[in-house]
């Protein structure tokens, strides 16, 4: 059943094109988008693991040097790709569902952008070809800009343009890094590059190889929103529509882990790689959380928290043992779900009050008890309170850094978790528990049912992953053992 | 007494951070938490230098702690540097890029 | 000759540096976008130069060519294919940026980055 | 020899485009730079890339910039 592997990219891509072409027919397009969105999480779950060679060009064995060459663009599909693609598919389904029920007259281009982004991140996860990854990375950047610019929030165009200008520095620099690698190895297939590096065909200590790491690393910083790009990432989250922001952060997390896994496979022999990743992750954790503490716009606050949580993922990868990388990837999965829940929930509050300033809100618990309860559980999961899923991954990370001989990092991770908890409790108090200000109008506005449904689904996954983490971690651990 | 006055001045300076608009207790306490968190976490991450050299780690930690504490409140200065104007973001991006490339080309083998 | 490739390396580095300079120091947004697009051109030029072979032939197998001679003398075609994609991506990115600039010009009436893309709180003051 | 001349043209016209006060001139100089790059690609044995770059770099990009300048303002103030 390996024919299903390319379909994971082709289905959302074709759906995007068809929807934007036929968006005049409102009802038909709605039904079509709904059906495609339901298919997205089902395809990866129904597919078998394996490799897919585009064009059918199987790997060739060079008889002289007895080295395998991969002439085709290769998609590799394992447990890690399956779980992440299924999760992103589920999230896309929920976001599309919220969008379809919220507006009577749908906009074709917006659905186009949502499906295009999903297709791009799926391809980035699956691909074993570094240039193919770069192409979809650029497509993803365009889709993200479109999602931000399409929102009706003030100053969204400005933020989109800022993101794009920074992106047109970040992406060519990454392309330059890929060019350096191509010059050294003569191939863009990652398996071939890794083989060349490990067989000693490339001098791992040569300055050119190190510079290619630096350039690709800078592109990775832009893709994942670690410092110095943390302000723009939190900015675009706060300027997108809430359901769009929920999808945007998952795009960020997926592009972060797909690029960092590629870098890990190529550069893991260099000790400087792990130092760089850990340094920027710690910086992201400190800056993200300390800036989140001082925000008054709660969408911006969640944006900074999301950036701070990314530091945990980088920390897991940077420590470099099997247990640590498993913890980092598990944290990535949890963060996708939890941050999506928070964005959708706070978006529901914006929907019901038209206010984003925490100083002007209050007393919402009595008006929206369901939303506030689910938001409370989501926030506790993000801060790492047992028995929710965030606790499991953070516990694994702390144990991993202790066993690597870095107790400082464990203390730092725990402190960041506590500060996250403080941010959340402060906001929850200001928005839900404090007496209602007199000039706040709450009558006659309700939260859409679809948002509550989406939050409920995500909440069930959070609780299930918190109670049974082994379902995911054992599979991820096998995958990590394969690339070490 | 100067340090004492400075610490108690911090709360007054936070008022400017949230202007225009009212300042609530939760915001001020959040800012104070951020201040303490920033100092402690930076000092804590300086201890990581002990894997390079223990003496260096001790010196850097001490100097960093003194500099940070004598410069409170840090959060207003910090926030001005990280506002979302394009110029500041581009400046920090380009500076980071040049530091990474120069460091990798000439010093990538030192670690 | 390797001289050409070295010279191209310097040219592409010069283009990248021009782009980075314009990103920081040029205030006019259209000129800034023009400058940043030079980074992309520098990267493209570098990648094309990887495939170049001094004294080689264009990597198209014509009828009547000896295959082993062709394999030894043709330029490496993989980077060329990559650059094709990259050029198109660069042009589309530029088009989207210019479209956003046109929309924002109507709101602000100036092309200065300091006004148009300042901090959000300052923009609120400007609009009031 | 032609390749070195072209490289000089690329860099110089890029610098000149950035110091113009008139944005339309900057657009035309960008086209110069893109066209010279296309010829350089031809010399570097990549005729397919040269064709694309000639269309995109020498025609489409300057036209886009000129359109943007026409819709906004011409002089750099």
């Amino acid at each position: 059943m390996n024919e299903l592997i390319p379909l994971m990219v082709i289905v959302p891509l074709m759906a995007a094109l068809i929807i934007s072409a036929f968006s005049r027919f409102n009802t038909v397009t709605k039904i079509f988008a709904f059906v495609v969105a339901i298919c997205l999480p089902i395809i990866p779950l129904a597919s078998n693991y394996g490799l897919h060679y585009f064009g059918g060009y199987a790997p060739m064995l060079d008889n002289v040097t007895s080295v395998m060459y991969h002439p085709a663009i290769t998609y590799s599909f394992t447990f890690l790709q399956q779980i992440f693609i299924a999760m992103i598919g589920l999230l896309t389904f929920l976001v599309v569902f919220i969008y379809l029920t919220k507006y009577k007259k749908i906009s074709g281009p917006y659905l186009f952008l949502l499906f295009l982004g999903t297709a791009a991140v799926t391809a980035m996860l699956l691909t074993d070809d570094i240039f193919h990854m770069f192409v979809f990375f650029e497509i993803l950047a365009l889709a993200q800009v479109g999602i931000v610019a399409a929102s009706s929030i003030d100053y969204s165009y400005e933020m989109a343009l800022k993101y794009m200008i920074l992106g047109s520095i970040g992406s060519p620099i990454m392309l330059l890094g890929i060019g350096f690698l191509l010059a050294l190895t003569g191939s863009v297939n990652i398996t071939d590059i890794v083989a060349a590096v490990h067989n000693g065909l490339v001098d791992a200590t040569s300055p050119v190889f190190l510079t290619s790491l630096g350039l690709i690393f800078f592109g990775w910083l832009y893709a994942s929103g670690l410092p110095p790009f943390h302000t723009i990432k939190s900015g675009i989250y706060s300027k997108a529509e809430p359901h769009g922001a929920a999808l945007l952060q998952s795009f960020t997390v997926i592009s972060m882990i797909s690029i960092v896994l590629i870098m890990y496979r190529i550069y893991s022999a260099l000790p400087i790689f792990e130092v760089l990743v850990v340094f920027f992750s710690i910086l992201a954790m400190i800056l993200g959380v300390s800036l989140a503490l001082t925000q008054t716009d709660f969408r911006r606050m969640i944006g900074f928290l999301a950036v701070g949580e990314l530091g945990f993922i980088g920390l897991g990868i940077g420590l470099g043992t099997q247990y640590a990388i498993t913890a980092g990837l598990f944290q990535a999965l949890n963060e996708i779900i939890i941050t999506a829940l928070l964005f959708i929930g706070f978006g529901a509050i914006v929907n019901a009050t038209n206010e984003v300033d925490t100083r002007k809100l209050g007393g919402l618990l009595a008006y929206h008890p369901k939303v506030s309860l689910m938001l409370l559980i989501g926030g506790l999961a993000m801060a790492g309170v047992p028995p929710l899923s965030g606790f499991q991954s953070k516990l694994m990370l702390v144990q991993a850094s202790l066993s690597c001989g870095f107790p400082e990092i464990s203390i730092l991770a725990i402190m960041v978790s506590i500060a996250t908890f403080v941010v959340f409790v402060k906001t929850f108090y200001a928005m839900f528990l404090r007496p209602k200000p007199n000039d706040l109008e709450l009558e006659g506005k309700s939260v859409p049912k679809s948002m509550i449904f989406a939050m409920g689904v995500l909440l069930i996954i959070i609780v299930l992953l918190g109670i049974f983490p082994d379902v995911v971690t054992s599979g991820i651990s096998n995958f990590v053992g394969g690339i070490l | 007494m100067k340090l004492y006055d400075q610490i108690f001045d911090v709360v007054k300076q936070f008022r400017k951070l949230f202007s225009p608009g009212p300042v609530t207790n939760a915001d001020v306490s959040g800012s104070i938490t951020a201040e303490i968190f920033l100092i402690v976490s930076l000092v804590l991450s300086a201890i990581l230098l002990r894997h390079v050299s223990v003496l260096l780690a001790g010196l850097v930690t001490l100097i960093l702690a003194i500099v940070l504490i004598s410069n409170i409140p840090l959060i207003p200065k910090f926030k001005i540097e990280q506002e979302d104007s394009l110029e500041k973001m581009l400046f920090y991006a380009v500076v980071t890029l040049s530091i990474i490339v120069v460091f990798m080309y000439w010093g990538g083998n030192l670690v | 000759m390797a001289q050409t490739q070295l010279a191209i390396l310097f040219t592409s580095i010069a283009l990248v540096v021009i782009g980075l300079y314009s990103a920081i120091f040029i205030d006019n947004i259209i000129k800034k976008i023009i400058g940043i697009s030079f980074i992309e051109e520098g990267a493209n030029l570098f990648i094309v130069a990887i495939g170049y072979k001094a004294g080689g032939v264009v990597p198209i197998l014509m009828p009547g060519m000896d295959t082993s001679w062709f394999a030894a003398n043709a330029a490496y075609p993989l980077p060329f294919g990559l650059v094709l994609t990259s050029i198109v991506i660069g042009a589309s990115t530029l088009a989207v940026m210019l479209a956003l600039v046109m929309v924002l010009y109507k709101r602000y009436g100036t092309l200065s980055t300091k006004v148009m893309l300042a901090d959000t709180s300052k923009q609120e003051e400007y609009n009031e | 020899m032609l390749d070195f001349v072209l490289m000089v043209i690329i860099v110089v016209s890029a610098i000149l485009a950035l110091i113009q006060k008139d944005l339309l001139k900057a657009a035309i100089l960008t086209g110069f730079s893109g066209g010279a790059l296309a010829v350089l690609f031809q010399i570097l044995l990549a005729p397919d890339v040269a064709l694309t770059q000639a269309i995109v770099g020498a025609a489409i990009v300057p036209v886009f910039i000129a359109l943007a300048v026409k819709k906004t303002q011409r002089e750099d103030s």
Side-chain angles (χ1 to χ4, degrees):
Chain A
M1 292 268 281
N2 282 354
E3 286 73 25
L4 282 179
I5 294 175
L7 277 187
M8 286 170 219
V9 181
I10 292 168
V11 166
L13 211 55
M14 286 310 291
L17 295 174
I18 291 172
I19 287 171
S20 78
F22 296 102
S23 58
R24 285 179 296 132
F25 308 106
N26 201 17
T27 325
V28 181
T29 315
K30 264 188 171 181
I31 296 169
F32 179 70
F34 187 77
V35 170
V36 172
I38 276 191
C39 288
L40 288 181
I42 295 174
I43 298 173
L45 291 177
S47 172
N48 291 338
Y49 302 146
L51 299 169
H52 181 86
Y53 306 108
F54 275 90
Y57 299 106
M60 296 184 297
L61 185 69
D62 186 350
N63 288 324
V64 184
T65 54
S66 70
V67 180
M68 290 285 270
Y69 289 105
H70 297 75
I73 290 175
T74 310
Y75 275 3
S76 88
F77 183 67
T78 60
F79 179 77
L80 182 89
Q81 277 89 6
Q82 185 179 34
I83 189 86
F84 273 102
I85 293 171
M87 202 53 75
I88 202 95
L90 179 68
L91 206 57
T92 313
F93 164 66
L94 292 174
V95 168
V96 169
F97 180 60
I98 291 173
Y99 178 74
L100 290 180
T101 49
K102 193 174 172 189
Y103 297 99
K104 277 226 163 54
K105 178 87 182 84
I106 57 158
S107 122
Y110 191 72
L111 280 173
F112 168 78
L113 292 167
L114 293 182
F115 281 117
L116 190 69
T118 308
V121 284
T122 312
M124 283 176 76
L125 260 178
L126 284 171
T127 185
D128 196 29
D129 183 294
I130 196 164
F131 190 78
H132 193 254
M133 193 266 312
F134 173 76
V135 170
F136 275 101
F137 171 64
E138 286 274 19
I139 293 175
L140 178 66
L142 281 174
Q144 283 176 321
V145 168
I147 291 174
V148 176
S151 82
S152 54
I153 298 169
D154 294 348
Y155 307 111
S156 64
Y157 280 152
E158 282 89 337
M159 202 55 94
L161 185 55
K162 285 174 197 169
Y163 185 67
M164 204 142 196
I165 289 178
L166 281 169
S168 52
I169 290 182
S171 321
I173 294 292
M174 191 167 170
L175 181 64
L176 209 55
I178 293 172
F180 274 56
L181 269 184
L182 180 62
L184 283 171
T185 60
S187 171
V188 285
N189 186 286
I190 296 161
T191 314
D192 287 356
I193 295 174
V194 172
V197 173
H198 284 217
N199 295 340
L201 293 176
V202 176
D203 181 11
T205 56
S206 73
V208 179
F209 190 63
L210 288 164
T211 311
S212 76
L213 167 59
L215 296 173
I216 296 181
F217 189 84
F218 185 76
W220 177 66
L221 289 183
Y222 157 69
S224 55
L226 298 181
F229 295 105
H230 56 298
T231 42
I232 186 69
K233 269 290 179 203
S234 59
I236 65 163
Y237 294 158
S238 67
K239 297 296 175 215
E241 296 276 346
H243 46 272
L247 209 53
L248 280 182
Q249 61 85 22
S250 70
F251 291 166
T252 306
V253 175
I254 302 254
S255 54
M256 173 184 189
I257 62 163
S258 51
I259 300 174
V260 84
L261 282 177
I262 290 171
M263 286 204 298
Y264 184 81
R265 283 168 65 190
I266 297 175
Y267 297 106
S268 59
L270 297 172
I272 182 97
F273 168 65
E274 295 172 356
V275 174
L276 270 180
V277 174
V278 168
F279 178 78
F280 278 96
S281 305
I282 289 179
L283 210 58
M285 278 155 58
I286 295 173
L287 292 182
V289 175
S290 62
L291 284 170
L293 274 166
T294 60
Q295 297 298 322
T296 50
D297 177 348
F298 58 78
R299 287 177 313 193
R300 199 70 197 261
M301 184 206 79
I302 299 290
F304 273 119
L305 272 189
V307 171
E309 295 292 301
L310 286 177
F312 281 96
I313 308 171
L315 208 57
I317 310 280
L319 288 172
T321 61
Q322 184 176 359
Y323 192 70
I325 297 176
T326 310
L329 292 174
F330 186 38
Q331 165 74 19
L333 186 66
N334 290 337
E335 186 182 340
I336 291 174
I337 307 163
I338 297 169
T339 320
L341 169 66
L342 291 184
F343 271 119
I344 293 174
F346 281 111
I349 300 294
V350 179
N351 215 4
T353 58
N354 282 331
E355 186 60 67
V356 293
D357 198 333
T358 50
R359 292 172 294 184
K360 294 175 188 159
L361 288 170
L364 290 170
L365 185 62
Y367 292 86
H368 304 293
K370 274 184 213 156
V371 176
S372 55
L373 204 66
M374 286 196 265
L375 270 181
L376 179 65
I377 298 175
L380 293 182
M382 184 180 244
V385 173
L388 301 163
S389 63
F391 165 72
Q392 300 286 356
S393 56
K394 288 191 178 175
L395 182 69
M396 280 173 82
L397 270 171
V398 170
Q399 283 174 344
S401 59
L402 273 179
S403 62
C404 288
F406 294 108
E408 305 93 333
I409 293 182
S410 339
I411 299 171
L412 202 64
I414 294 170
M415 267 177 47
V416 172
S417 297
I418 295 172
T420 310
F421 188 75
V422 172
V423 175
F424 198 76
V425 167
K426 175 173 97 72
T427 317
F428 193 78
Y429 164 74
M431 286 171 64
F432 294 100
L433 302 179
R434 181 169 74 177
K436 185 170 90 74
N438 289 330
D439 50 351
L440 185 66
E441 291 287 335
L442 283 176
E443 300 303 327
K445 285 171 185 163
S446 64
V447 174
K449 288 267 189 316
S450 56
M451 278 189 164
I452 294 180
F453 168 74
M455 288 171 74
V457 172
L458 294 172
L459 197 65
I460 291 170
I461 300 175
I462 289 174
V463 173
L464 283 183
L465 277 182
I467 299 172
F468 308 107
D470 294 341
V471 181
V472 179
T473 49
S474 57
I476 295 179
S477 185
N478 284 338
F479 168 82
V480 174
I483 65 165
L484 274 176
Chain B
M1 286 303 276
K2 186 175 169 290
L3 192 63
Y4 180 83
D5 290 339
Q6 200 181 353
I7 289 171
F8 273 80
D9 236 25
V10 164
V11 178
K12 283 179 195 160
Q13 297 205 22
F14 279 146
R15 200 170 292 164
K16 282 183 220 151
L17 196 63
F18 293 103
S19 67
V23 185
T24 57
N25 293 338
D27 288 331
V28 173
S29 56
S31 299
I32 293 173
T33 318
E35 187 86 36
I36 297 168
F37 172 76
L38 196 63
I39 294 172
V40 174
S41 54
L42 283 177
V43 169
L44 201 61
S45 33
I47 299 179
L48 274 174
L49 278 175
R50 79 190 163 90
H51 294 278
V52 181
S53 149
V54 177
L55 190 67
L56 185 70
L59 269 176
V60 169
T61 312
L62 260 177
I63 293 171
L64 197 65
I66 292 170
V67 168
L68 287 179
I69 291 176
S70 58
N71 271 319
I72 52 172
L74 296 164
I75 288 293
K77 297 167 198 162
F78 230 65
K79 241 184 133 178
I80 288 172
E81 284 308 307
Q82 300 179 61
E83 62 179 23
D84 46 1
S85 80
L86 183 70
E87 268 142 33
K88 280 187 178 148
M89 292 194 286
L90 275 175
F91 174 73
Y92 282 108
V94 173
V95 165
T96 315
L97 171 66
S98 27
I99 289 175
I100 287 179
V101 168
V102 168
F103 175 68
M104 292 303 283
Y105 192 87
W106 277 283
N109 286 319
L110 296 180
V111 177
Chain C
M1 33 182 185
Q3 228 179 339
T4 311
Q5 268 179 327
L6 198 65
I8 284 177
L9 179 64
F10 281 119
T11 313
S12 57
I13 287 176
L15 283 175
V16 171
V17 170
I18 290 170
L20 293 179
Y21 173 87
S22 72
I24 297 186
F25 292 105
I26 288 185
D27 188 44
N28 186 294
I29 184 77
I30 289 186
K31 276 211 268 185
K32 195 174 234 174
I33 291 173
I34 294 175
I36 288 176
S37 72
F38 287 138
I39 303 180
E40 180 101 32
E41 287 189 3
N44 289 344
L45 183 57
F46 175 75
I47 294 181
V48 168
I50 294 169
Y52 175 64
K53 181 175 259 176
V57 293
V58 172
I60 301 169
L61 183 60
M62 295 293 189
M65 273 185 184
D66 182 25
T67 327
S68 57
W69 178 85
F70 178 75
N73 280 295
Y76 186 42
L78 176 65
F80 302 162
L82 307 186
V83 169
L84 274 181
T85 325
S86 171
I87 289 172
V88 177
I89 292 175
S92 55
T93 315
L94 187 89
V96 176
M97 283 198 284
L98 289 174
L100 283 171
V101 167
M102 281 192 256
V103 173
L104 289 180
Y105 180 79
K106 277 183 194 152
R107 196 177 301 164
Y108 291 94
T110 171
L111 286 177
S112 168
T113 317
K114 287 199 178 80
V115 178
M116 195 189 265
L117 296 176
D119 189 43
T120 316
S121 58
K122 281 178 197 150
Q123 279 166 336
E124 275 158 18
E125 286 164 28
Y126 179 86
N127 277 12
E128 280 161 10
Chain D
M1 199 55 217
L2 180 60
D3 42 0
F4 294 109
V5 176
L6 284 169
M7 286 174 215
V8 173
I9 291 177
I10 292 168
V11 174
V12 169
S13 58
I15 294 173
L16 280 180
L18 293 178
I19 58 175
Q20 291 301 320
K21 283 279 169 218
D22 186 352
L23 289 177
L24 213 55
K25 278 185 194 161
I28 293 164
L29 282 165
T30 317
F32 256 75
S33 175
L37 199 60
V39 183
L40 188 57
F41 285 160
Q42 173 68 39
I43 292 175
L44 291 174
L45 304 177
D48 45 349
V49 185
L51 273 176
T52 320
Q53 173 69 27
I55 296 165
V56 171
I60 295 180
V61 167
V63 167
F64 278 170
I65 296 170
L67 273 177
V69 171
K70 188 168 177 292
K71 291 266 179 188
T72 55
Q73 65 182 31
R74 193 166 161 178
E75 64 280 353
D76 171 20
S77 51

